[in-house]
């Protein structure tokens, strides 16, 4: 590295662009080195809560007047047309590079909010306006990521046309704005192809490309991902991925090393503030160019594939070669350290054809990767930067490339710095271009408002995406029907676009890979980002930075294999229930089979590469299963079972309440906790529970469970909880102001367990908020179902009736006193809120704004059930009193978490921190 000067190639122009505009994604040399682009219209301000907001005058305003359903009224989720909408919402942005076209597009989610009296009453009580505290509308929807080879730009154009992304989406082009919307449409684009193909886009789609600066987009995309996406950044050493959660307050400055054909090194100091501080002309283009000359490979991927089978020791001169196979300990060099890349070729009496192309490719890869890693470290050291992020065309998720760069940074920094990578790094430019549509307001979205889902979308072969996502249900089912599972491999034809189609149909067997479709273990998949503007962080977490919902460590391969086996074994019963819930029709059977194959494919992918979808926890697996069911239109698999269990439990509730009322206060409290634990046995997600269902009725099983409730329980903090509730001696503690009860299963669990406990708290003057799932998951009760259950229970209980009326739960119910008069509402309400979740578990970093608002004045949390208090949140700490209740229905979980056995009980009480 001696003798380096401010070379005009290394210092000012790392970009290789030919006259046609093909080349890198690294930025132009003609721009000033420092950029500070605070938008005039979009200066940040502060709302009353101190949150940063974007004051843009071009916020999207939806005109809902004369909205009408398009097409078949019996369709499950029909498209809604807005004929009077005049503010076009841009949907698409492009990064057109020399090799790949990257698309980021946004699909709106129709507003399905329920504006009935009950919802309005709840919003008034909790102080919620429009379900969000934002001062401007942000449309919920999905952010999609798609790649095409630039050489196949016609397929890309067909995809854009088929989805009508160039004019605001299918609904717009089908009549929302009329054909005129297409005439002056503008799409944000970056990359050399934005210039090269501008005329083609105008000719084929009738749209103009609004060209954005590449480096501006690159930095904007990186900033957004690092601030908004959980587990976006990761380290990669010796094949092991470790995800890193970034702290927004400590993000800047960082070094962004973008490796395209050449390399740019950008010091990023904040939003819109960055400086290109260095670069090198030795980059991905060097690797590909030299590799093509030396190995005759015809593609970058082919060259990378060769490197995986190579041995660089046949070409590289190592320290051991110089010192007789020993280390050079005095200066800290091991015998395996490369002393000179390609150094052995000097003394070997060989011609080029005598060397293995695989060895050449690997030696070349290590030479260039080490060089880039060293230069990046030196620049980070020069500017005192702690973090280095690598991205660009050269990386593309290749494990060995990341390992080599990581080794270089670790070696030169003596372990003080780490190389980091981004899961969406291939889409930085496209995402930055998308961000340049100011009216999206995406710069204000936080990590808890973006949820990443992994549907069975575009299939992968050897790490390459073949074709656009499979969006239509029939298309997905047809695709899944062609799957044949063989161990961890999936054999199936790959969807290709036959001539004359929109690129969404047709099948061919890929010639390069035979008939084998497999995931590339070296690549990280990315999913669809669901934008949920009403999601917030649960405000009662003691420390958000240290909060981790998952209690089971799936980085242990044995643990991972065990839980995968549990989920696989449960699959046949789940499919049977799913098909039965849809009437057992042929269509339901076809969808059930497709679901089983799809979820099995996900499990196989994750078994091969657990970090493929980001950091993996048991909660993520369970949520993936529920999402997969919904993807194949199984809305509520246990619907009829839940109804039967609710009816059976409600029938015996009056007798239970009468029995409880005859007890002393202390005896009643113990009996109530016993009742919650006993009733929590009913869980259709547990094999042990399913076996019990075959041995008796729901009431018989509940009574049996109650009879076995003997203390001490495996985790038994009841006496601590009793002292807080009842006090000791003559000292009576004040009641809690508001309690959040996170309910679990339908039937006996909520009716005979949690409702009586809620009733006791109401009796003591505590407001009660029943927190239930927003969407169905197994036999968990949902927030839509709870009011009906409460209304039925209230017919037999004045305490529940008055509290339900005060909470707005009975606004539609005809419940009166025995003399026919309607009683005044109690000042202590019973409220129901949705948690924003559709899983047996709950991640308290992402809850509904309703729940976040309800929590503001709560001083007691009761988490009930395995999913919410054992699988997740068993180790969570809160700023208020917390009670965690569950019966353990899995032997492995019992051993790992409480060193106990199946059917052991957990009553864990933790006073406020």
């Amino acid at each position: 590295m001696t003798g380096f000067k401010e070379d005009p190639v290394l210092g000012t122009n790392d970009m290789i662009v030919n006259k046609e505009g093909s080349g890198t994604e690294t930025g132009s040399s003609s721009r000033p080195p420092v950029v500070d682009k605070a938008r005039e219209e979009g200066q940040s301000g502060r709302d009353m809560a101190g949150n940063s907001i974007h004051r843009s005058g071009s916020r999207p305003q939806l005109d809902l007047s004369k909205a009408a359903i398009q097409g078949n009224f019996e369709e499950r989720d029909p498209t809604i047309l807005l004929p009077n909408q005049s503010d076009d919402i841009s949907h698409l942005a492009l990064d057109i590079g020399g090799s790949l076209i990257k698309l980021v597009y946004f699909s709106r989610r129709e507003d399905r909010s329920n504006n009935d009296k009950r919802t309005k009453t709840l919003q008034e009580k909790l102080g919620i306006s429009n379900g969000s505290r934002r001062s401007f509308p942000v449309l919920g929807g999905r952010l999609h990521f798609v790649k095409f080879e630039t050489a196949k730009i016609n397929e890309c154009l067909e995809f854009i046309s088929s989805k009508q992304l160039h004019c605001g989406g299918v609904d717009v082009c089908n009549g929302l704005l009329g054909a005129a919307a297409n005439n002056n449409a503008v799409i944000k684009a970056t990359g050399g192809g934005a210039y090269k193909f501008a005329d083609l886009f105008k000719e084929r789609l009738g749209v103009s490309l609004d060209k954005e600066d590449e480096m501006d987009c690159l930095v904007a995309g990186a900033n957004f991902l690092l601030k908004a996406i959980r587990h976006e950044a990761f380290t990669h050493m010796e094949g092991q991925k470790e995800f890193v959660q970034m702290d927004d307050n400590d993000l800047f400055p960082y070094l962004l090393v973008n490796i395209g054909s050449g390399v740019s090194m950008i010091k990023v100091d904040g939003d819109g503030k960055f400086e290109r501080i260095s670069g090198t002309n030795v980059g991905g283009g060097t690797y590909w160019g030299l590799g093509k000359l030396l190995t005759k490979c015809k593609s970058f991927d082919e060259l990378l594939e060769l490197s995986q089978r190579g041995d660089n020791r046949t070409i590289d001169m190592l320290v051991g070669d110089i010192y007789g196979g020993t280390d050079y300990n005095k200066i800290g060099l091991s015998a395996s350290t490369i002393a000179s890349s390609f150094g052995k070729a000097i003394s070997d009496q060989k011609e080029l054809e005598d060397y293995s192309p695989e060895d050449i490719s690997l030696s070349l890869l290590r030479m260039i990767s080490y060089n880039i890693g060293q230069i990046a470290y030196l620049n980070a050291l020069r500017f005192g930067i702690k973090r280095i992020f690598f991205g660009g065309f050269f990386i593309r998720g290749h494990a060995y490339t990341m390992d080599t760069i990581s080794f270089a940074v670790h070696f030169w920094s003596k372990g003080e710095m780490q190389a980091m990578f981004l899961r969406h790094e291939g889409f930085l430019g496209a995402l930055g271009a998308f961000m340049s549509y100011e009216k999206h307001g995406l710069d204000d979205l936080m990590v808890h408002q973006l949820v990443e889902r992994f549907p069975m979308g575009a299939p992968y072969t050897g790490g390459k995406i073949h074709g656009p996502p499979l969006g239509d249900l029939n298309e997905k089912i047809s695709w899944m029907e062609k799957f044949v599972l063989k161990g961890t491999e999936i054999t199936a034809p790959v969807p290709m676009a036959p001539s004359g189609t929109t690129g969404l149909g047709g099948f061919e067997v890929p010639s390069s890979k035979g008939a084998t479709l497999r995931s590339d273990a070296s690549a990280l998949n990315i999913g669809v980002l669901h934008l949920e503007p009403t999601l917030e962080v649960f405000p009662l977490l003691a420390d958000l930075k240290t909060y981790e919902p998952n209690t089971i460590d799936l980085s242990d391969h044995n643990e991972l294999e065990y839980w995968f086996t549990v989920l696989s074994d449960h699959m046949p019963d789940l499919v049977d229930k799913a098909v039965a819930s849809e009437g057992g029709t042929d269509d339901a059977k076809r969808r059930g089979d497709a679901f089983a194959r799809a979820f099995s494919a996900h499990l196989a992918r994750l078994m091969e590469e657990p970090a493929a979808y980001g950091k993996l926890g048991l909660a993520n697996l369970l949520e993936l299963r529920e999402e997969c069911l919904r993807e194949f239109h199984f809305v509520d698999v246990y619907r009829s079972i839940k109804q039967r269990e609710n009816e059976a439990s409600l029938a015996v509730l009056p007798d239970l309440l009468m029995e409880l009322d005859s007890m002393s206060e202390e005896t009643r409290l113990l009996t109530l906790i016993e009742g919650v634990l006993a009733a929590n046995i009913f869980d259709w997600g547990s094999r042990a529970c399913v076996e019990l269902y075959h041995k008796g009725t729901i009431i018989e099983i509940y009574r049996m469970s109650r009879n076995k409730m003997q203390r001490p329980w495996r985790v038994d903090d009841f006496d601590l909880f009793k002292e807080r509730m009842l006090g000791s001696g003559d000292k009576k503690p004040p009641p809690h102001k508001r309690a959040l009860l996170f309910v679990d299963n339908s039937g006996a669990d909520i009716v005979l367990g949690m409702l009586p406990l809620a009733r006791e708290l109401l009796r003591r003057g505590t407001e009660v908020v029943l927190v239930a799932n927003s969407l169905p998951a197994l036999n968990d009760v949902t927030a839509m179902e709870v009011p009906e259950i409460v209304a039925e229970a209230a017919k037999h209980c004045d305490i529940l009736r008055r509290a339900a009326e005060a909470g707005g739960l009975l606004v539609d119910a005809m419940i009166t006193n025995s003399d026919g008069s309607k009683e005044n509402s109690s000042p202590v309400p019973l409220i129901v809120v949705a948690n924003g979740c559709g899983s047996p578990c709950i991640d308290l970093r992402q809850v509904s704004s309703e729940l976040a608002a309800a929590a503001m004045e709560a001083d007691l949390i009761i988490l009930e059930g395995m999913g919410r208090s054992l699988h997740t949140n068993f180790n969570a700490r809160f700023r208020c009193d917390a009670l965690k209740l569950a019966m353990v229905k899995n032997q492995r979980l019992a051993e790992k978490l409480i060193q106990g056995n199946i059917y052991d009980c957990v009553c864990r009480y933790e006073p406020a921190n």
Side-chain angles (χ1 to χ4, degrees):
M1 296 297 292
T2 59
F4 265 55
K5 299 179 180 179
E6 185 64 10
D7 188 285
V9 175
L10 291 179
T12 62
N13 185 11
D14 64 297
M15 184 178 178
I16 305 171
V17 182
N18 60 30
K19 292 181 180 180
E20 288 76 31
S22 61
T24 74
E25 301 108 24
T26 57
S28 170
S29 60
S30 61
R31 57 179 312 285
V34 180
V35 176
D36 186 349
K37 284 199 166 188
R39 299 185 185 103
E40 293 181 5
E41 274 193 333
Q43 294 291 338
S44 294
R46 294 273 164 185
D47 62 14
M48 294 182 66
N51 298 315
S52 175
I53 61 175
H54 194 67
R55 308 284 186 189
S56 173
S58 55
R59 295 291 172 197
Q61 300 290 335
L62 286 181
D63 185 348
L64 302 179
S65 60
K66 297 186 179 179
I69 293 178
Q70 177 192 26
N72 186 356
F73 279 76
E74 297 179 358
E75 186 180 346
R76 178 172 273 103
D77 294 311
T79 300
I80 298 177
L81 292 184
L82 308 177
N84 294 327
Q85 175 66 27
S86 58
D87 186 11
D88 189 15
I89 312 297
S90 300
H91 278 62
L92 170 69
L94 301 163
D95 180 2
I96 311 175
S99 303
L100 294 173
I101 302 173
K102 285 78 68 177
L103 281 74
V104 173
Y105 72 92
F106 181 72
S107 62
R108 287 179 297 208
R109 185 190 64 221
E110 289 84 5
D111 184 7
R112 298 173 191 161
S113 61
N114 188 1
N115 291 319
D116 60 14
K117 294 179 182 178
R118 187 176 292 123
T119 301
K120 291 180 178 179
T121 302
L122 173 62
Q123 292 180 348
E124 290 172 2
K125 288 183 179 295
L126 299 179
I128 300 175
S129 175
N130 297 322
S132 172
R133 299 193 184 97
R134 290 182 174 276
S135 57
F136 57 84
V138 175
L139 300 178
R142 300 173 182 178
L143 205 57
H144 305 259
F145 302 86
V146 184
K147 287 182 182 178
F148 290 90
E149 293 181 32
T150 305
K152 299 178 181 178
I153 191 170
N154 287 332
E155 290 184 8
C156 176
L157 292 168
E158 288 173 358
F159 175 66
I160 294 171
S161 178
S162 69
K163 286 187 173 290
Q164 299 297 300
L165 300 177
H166 54 304
C167 54
V170 176
D171 51 352
V172 175
C173 287
N174 282 349
L176 204 163
L177 294 176
N182 202 23
N183 294 338
N184 300 312
V186 174
I187 295 175
K188 295 284 188 179
T190 189
Y195 298 87
K196 179 178 180 179
F197 298 111
D199 291 342
L200 183 61
F201 273 80
K202 188 68 175 178
E203 176 187 337
R204 292 283 298 276
L205 300 177
V207 298
S208 300
L209 297 184
D210 186 5
K211 305 166 188 66
E212 294 289 325
D213 181 84
E214 287 188 69
M215 206 167 289
D216 289 348
C217 292
L218 191 71
V219 173
N223 283 347
F224 174 73
L225 290 170
L226 288 169
K227 291 192 294 183
I229 311 300
R230 184 172 292 116
H231 302 142
E232 174 63 31
F234 63 94
T235 59
H236 200 288
M237 285 287 285
E238 298 180 355
Q240 298 298 312
K241 300 179 182 73
E242 186 72 31
F243 289 92
V244 180
Q245 183 56 41
M246 307 308 301
D247 184 347
D248 285 1
N249 299 319
D250 193 33
L251 175 59
F252 305 110
Y254 67 83
L255 185 66
L256 180 61
V257 181
N258 192 56
I259 313 173
S261 294
V263 183
S264 269
M265 299 188 184
I266 307 163
K267 178 174 175 280
V268 182
D269 294 304
D271 291 320
K273 298 179 181 179
F274 60 87
E275 176 184 2
R276 182 187 178 281
I277 58 174
S278 186
T280 171
N281 59 343
V282 179
T286 312
Y287 176 59
W288 192 353
L290 285 175
K292 184 177 180 182
L293 291 174
L294 295 173
T295 69
K296 307 303 180 184
C297 282
K298 295 182 179 179
S299 73
F300 192 94
D301 286 325
E302 186 182 352
L303 191 62
L304 277 180
E305 207 169 297
L306 281 180
S307 72
Q308 293 179 269
R309 304 190 298 272
D311 183 355
N312 69 298
R313 293 174 297 179
T314 64
I315 300 178
D316 292 342
M317 183 181 293
L318 309 181
V319 169
D321 295 325
I322 300 174
Y323 292 94
T326 63
D327 299 338
Y328 190 174
N329 293 320
K330 187 175 181 179
I331 58 174
L333 295 178
S334 69
S336 61
T337 301
I338 298 176
S340 175
S341 293
F342 289 89
K344 283 185 180 177
I346 299 172
S347 56
D348 289 344
Q349 301 300 313
K350 294 181 180 179
E351 299 297 328
L352 178 61
E353 56 268 18
D354 296 326
Y355 290 99
S356 161
E358 289 84 355
D359 298 345
I360 293 173
S361 176
L362 180 58
S363 179
L364 194 59
L365 178 65
R366 294 187 72 167
M367 179 184 76
I368 292 170
S369 297
Y370 283 151
N371 184 261
I372 294 171
Q374 182 181 15
I375 295 174
Y377 157 70
L378 291 172
N379 276 284
L381 184 67
R382 173 187 167 199
F383 287 94
I385 298 172
K386 295 184 294 183
R387 299 182 187 84
I388 311 175
F389 295 99
F390 292 84
F393 174 79
F394 181 66
I395 302 290
R396 53 172 57 189
H398 189 246
Y400 197 87
T401 304
M402 293 187 288
D403 268 354
T404 308
I405 291 174
S406 296
F407 178 83
V409 173
H410 185 270
F411 177 84
W412 290 108
S413 70
K414 294 181 171 58
E416 293 183 3
M417 289 187 193
Q418 285 183 307
M420 288 189 279
F421 307 90
L422 302 175
R423 295 181 59 242
H424 292 79
E425 60 88 11
F427 291 91
L428 296 187
L431 188 54
F434 189 83
M435 295 284 294
S436 66
Y437 292 113
E438 288 187 8
K439 58 188 176 183
H440 282 305
L442 291 185
D443 47 346
D444 295 315
L445 292 173
M446 300 304 292
V447 60
H448 53 271
Q449 293 169 323
L450 288 157
V451 184
E452 192 169 10
R453 308 289 189 204
F454 294 88
M456 293 305 296
Y460 287 73
T461 303
K464 298 179 183 178
I465 298 179
H466 286 258
L470 305 172
D472 178 74
L473 177 62
N474 287 327
E475 193 174 56
K476 286 182 181 179
I477 295 174
S478 297
W479 165 244
M480 294 309 307
E481 286 175 339
K482 299 177 187 298
F483 273 80
V484 179
L485 302 185
K486 293 183 178 178
T488 59
E489 290 192 336
I490 307 166
T491 302
V494 175
M496 303 293 283
S499 58
T501 73
T502 60
L504 295 175
F507 290 87
E508 293 180 7
V509 176
S511 56
S512 61
K513 291 286 182 180
T516 300
L517 175 72
R518 63 175 181 81
S519 54
D520 185 356
S522 69
L524 284 173
N525 292 349
I526 55 173
V528 177
L529 293 180
H530 290 234
L531 276 60
E532 302 286 351
T534 58
L535 289 182
E536 300 187 24
V537 175
F538 189 63
L540 294 178
L541 287 172
D543 187 352
L544 178 60
K545 290 182 180 179
T546 60
Y547 172 73
E548 168 55 50
N550 291 288
T551 55
I552 302 296
D553 182 12
L554 294 187
S555 62
D556 180 338
H557 183 77
N558 292 331
E559 202 68 38
L560 184 70
E561 191 170 23
Y562 169 79
W563 288 103
F564 276 24
T565 301
V566 169
L567 291 174
S568 296
D569 290 347
H570 185 237
M571 188 99 67
D573 181 70
L574 182 61
V575 171
D576 288 344
K577 296 289 188 302
V579 173
S581 72
E582 297 286 321
T585 63
D586 289 341
D587 173 67
K589 292 176 182 176
R590 190 166 174 245
R591 287 186 283 122
D593 181 64
F595 154 73
R597 292 183 183 276
F599 187 54
S600 296
H602 280 302
L603 292 181
R605 174 71 180 99
L606 291 169
M607 179 58 76
E608 179 187 0
E609 180 58 44
Y613 297 167
K615 187 175 180 179
L616 182 63
L618 187 55
N620 307 105
L621 277 179
L622 297 176
E623 184 176 36
L624 180 62
R625 179 182 62 186
E626 300 303 322
E627 285 294 327
C628 207
L629 280 168
R630 286 189 276 272
E631 187 177 355
F632 291 96
H633 289 193
F634 291 107
V635 178
D636 191 351
V637 172
Y638 289 85
R639 179 173 49 219
S640 59
I641 294 173
K642 290 190 292 182
Q643 290 174 346
R644 289 198 304 270
E645 292 184 353
N646 288 339
E647 291 170 1
S649 301
L650 285 165
V652 299
L653 178 63
D655 291 339
L656 175 61
L657 297 182
M658 189 179 301
E659 180 186 351
L660 289 167
D661 288 342
S662 67
M663 299 176 181
S664 66
E665 192 175 39
E666 185 173 331
T667 302
R668 184 166 65 243
L669 185 61
L670 175 59
T671 304
L672 286 166
I673 299 301
E674 287 178 341
V676 172
L677 294 171
N680 189 235
I681 198 173
F682 298 99
D683 185 348
W684 279 93
S686 161
R687 176 187 289 182
C689 175
V690 173
E691 291 173 355
L692 282 176
Y693 276 100
H694 298 300
K695 298 178 182 179
T697 66
I698 185 172
I699 302 305
E700 290 171 342
I701 298 169
Y702 170 71
R703 286 172 180 161
M704 176 198 71
S705 183
R706 281 290 299 269
N707 291 336
K708 292 184 177 181
M709 286 287 112
Q710 294 184 3
R711 297 182 64 197
W713 302 313
R714 192 65 188 181
V715 177
D716 194 339
D717 294 336
F718 173 75
D719 291 334
L720 288 174
F721 180 64
K722 181 183 71 173
E723 184 175 351
R724 169 59 187 88
M725 294 291 289
L726 306 180
S728 57
D730 296 332
K731 187 177 180 181
K732 294 291 183 182
H736 290 95
K737 182 177 180 181
R738 177 182 289 173
L740 303 181
L741 275 60
F742 288 76
V743 297
D744 189 9
N745 305 303
S746 295
D749 200 349
I750 183 171
V751 176
L752 304 181
M754 291 299 275
L755 267 186
L757 180 58
R759 177 177 178 263
E760 181 68 18
L761 291 167
L762 291 165
R763 188 204 301 262
R764 291 177 51 79
T766 300
E767 291 183 12
V768 173
V769 180
L770 298 177
V771 184
N773 266 14
S774 297
L775 296 171
L778 295 172
N779 63 317
D780 290 0
V781 70
T782 67
M784 289 291 289
E785 296 164 341
V786 173
E788 183 177 344
I789 294 172
V790 171
E792 287 299 313
K795 293 178 180 178
H796 311 288
C797 174
D798 287 343
I799 296 173
L800 289 175
R801 176 174 55 80
R802 290 194 297 269
E805 287 177 344
L809 296 180
L810 303 183
V811 290
D812 299 322
M814 299 299 293
I815 298 180
T816 58
N817 290 328
S818 55
D819 61 0
S821 63
K822 199 159 188 176
E823 192 170 317
N824 291 330
S825 295
S826 164
V828 182
L830 175 64
I831 299 172
V832 175
V833 301
N835 60 17
C837 176
S839 165
C841 302
I842 186 168
D843 183 343
L844 293 173
R845 294 169 299 197
Q846 294 178 306
V847 302
S848 69
S849 56
E850 290 179 358
L851 175 53
M856 297 303 289
E857 297 184 15
D859 50 2
L860 173 64
I861 295 172
I862 299 179
L863 286 163
E864 183 240 355
M866 282 212 312
R868 292 159 188 80
S869 64
L870 296 183
H871 287 146
T872 53
N873 301 305
F874 187 66
N875 300 317
R877 294 294 178 266
F878 300 95
R879 292 190 289 105
C880 66
D881 294 350
L883 181 66
K884 299 169 185 177
L885 300 169
M887 176 181 281
V888 186
K889 289 147 290 193
N890 177 277
Q891 182 63 41
R892 181 77 160 230
L893 188 68
E895 293 169 358
K896 289 283 183 180
L897 215 56
I898 60 172
Q899 292 76 53
N901 297 299
I902 195 168
Y903 301 131
D904 276 345
C905 292
V906 172
C907 175
R908 186 172 186 173
Y909 176 66
E910 297 155 348
N913 278 1

